[in-house]
Amino acid sequence: MKFEVNEVKIIEEEDGFKYYGIFDKDNKDWYEELKKFDKDTLKVMYNKDTHLVLSTNQDASMIAPTMAGDVVEEIPFQAVEIAPDNYFVDGKIVKLKECETIKDGKIVFNRDFKIEQIKKELSELKTEHSEKEFVYKEKYLQRNRELDKNNLNNIVTMMMATKKATFDGWKFKNKERTDEYVTLTMQDVLELSKIMTEQTTKAMHTETVLRENLVNLSDEDLKNYNASEEFKKLWES
């Protein structure tokens, strides 16, 4: 037994009493049809488009379809956990797995959701690789942070304005990871800026290539996609 709401309208009786009438496409009245459901079955109310479960009860009179598109269907009785993420598909109450959606009443792989998920991972990897620490002059460790790049640009401007040949007190970490303050020449400053820019550009390029390639991957490839491995592979190539 199944009832799908097609129309909800106000009914006024001769004595002036008004109530909401609920009808299917054949103009059958819900309040009459609910009497035809088996007493021992589980009645499931769900939305016909999303298949999201809205209510369940063994007693059909306790189900309240009030919107066009509400569907009440009976299935063999089973204990059902009340949860906001229950769906009714192919006569069963189910929960969607990650990256699943419902299309034409069937559970299918949600490509768009998975691609957006991967893009988020790639964006995080881009930031991680862009800011990655590098070794300068084989003994100094330098993070590629936006703050440091801005400071280097400011130092160039200051050195040109004051005609100073060096900048005293740039802080590196040495290989023992303790702070070491170093005097930089203009060439050092420009070289550091170049390394940082190239590293940032490489990270952005790697992310862009991988993002653009996602649309060409099969569903199976997307399901098994390892963003970290793919980023590393292209980064090191």
Side-chain angles (χ1 to χ4, degrees):
M1 179 70 182
K2 179 178 177 180
F3 184 93
E4 180 179 323
V5 179
N6 182 66
E7 182 183 17
V8 178
K9 60 184 177 181
I10 296 176
I11 305 296
E12 184 174 357
E13 297 185 340
E14 291 182 359
D15 60 3
F17 177 75
K18 297 179 181 179
Y19 68 94
Y20 284 102
I22 303 167
F23 304 92
D24 68 6
K25 63 182 177 59
D26 298 319
N27 209 37
K28 293 178 181 178
D29 188 327
W30 161 250
Y31 296 107
E32 293 300 321
E33 293 300 300
L34 69 83
K35 301 172 185 176
K36 300 178 182 179
F37 284 91
D38 192 299
K39 292 182 180 180
D40 298 323
T41 57
L42 181 69
K43 287 73 182 176
V44 182
M45 183 172 79
Y46 62 94
N47 179 275
K48 74 170 184 176
D49 295 320
T50 66
H51 287 255
L52 181 68
V53 173
L54 305 172
S55 180
T56 60
N57 205 294
Q58 188 173 351
D59 184 351
S61 67
M62 299 301 291
I63 299 289
T66 58
M67 302 282 291
D70 286 351
V71 182
V72 181
E73 191 168 339
E74 62 181 344
I75 60 174
F77 182 81
Q78 66 183 81
V80 177
E81 174 193 5
I82 298 175
D85 57 348
N86 286 338
Y87 291 84
F88 190 74
V89 182
D90 289 334
K92 298 178 183 178
I93 295 176
V94 299
K95 291 186 184 295
L96 298 182
K97 297 177 183 177
E98 185 180 32
C99 297
E100 286 185 337
T101 190
I102 295 175
K103 184 176 181 181
D104 299 328
K106 300 294 182 183
I107 296 175
V108 297
F109 177 61
N110 191 340
R111 281 184 63 89
D112 292 340
F113 179 84
K114 182 61 175 179
I115 286 174
E116 289 306 310
Q117 192 179 57
I118 293 172
K119 284 180 178 179
K120 182 179 178 182
E121 293 179 59
L122 292 174
S123 178
E124 292 169 352
L125 287 164
K126 173 198 68 178
T127 301
E128 176 187 324
H129 283 71
S130 176
E131 297 180 352
K132 201 170 183 180
E133 192 173 70
F134 60 89
V135 180
Y136 182 62
K137 291 190 174 179
E138 299 183 354
K139 58 180 179 179
Y140 300 123
L141 304 176
Q142 174 66 55
R143 287 285 302 278
N144 187 18
R145 298 170 299 189
E146 200 63 36
L147 174 64
D148 290 324
K149 286 187 282 190
N150 290 337
N151 285 340
L152 287 171
N153 289 335
N154 292 335
I155 289 170
V156 169
T157 301
M158 181 271 294
M159 291 176 72
M160 292 177 66
T162 60
K163 300 189 181 336
K164 288 186 64 175
T166 59
F167 174 81
D168 297 326
W170 183 263
K171 185 173 74 174
F172 286 110
K173 292 282 186 185
N174 58 34
K175 290 192 175 180
E176 286 70 44
R177 307 208 70 82
T178 58
D179 292 344
E180 188 168 332
Y181 292 87
V182 177
T183 297
L184 299 179
T185 66
M186 177 65 85
Q187 182 179 349
D188 292 330
V189 174
L190 294 176
E191 188 176 357
L192 278 169
S193 294
K194 181 173 180 289
I195 293 170
M196 289 181 177
T197 299
E198 288 177 345
Q199 183 166 305
T200 299
T201 301
K202 182 179 179 181
M204 293 173 64
H205 174 73
T206 303
E207 180 205 20
T208 299
V209 171
L210 293 174
R211 281 171 62 102
E212 291 178 349
N213 190 46
L214 292 176
V215 70
N216 299 317
L217 299 180
S218 67
D219 287 355
E220 199 60 33
D221 288 337
L222 287 171
K223 290 177 185 177
N224 298 317
Y225 195 88
N226 187 314
S228 183
E229 286 184 4
E230 294 300 324
F231 203 101
K232 181 180 178 181
K233 190 189 306 179
L234 186 55
W235 179 266
E236 295 178 350
S237 64

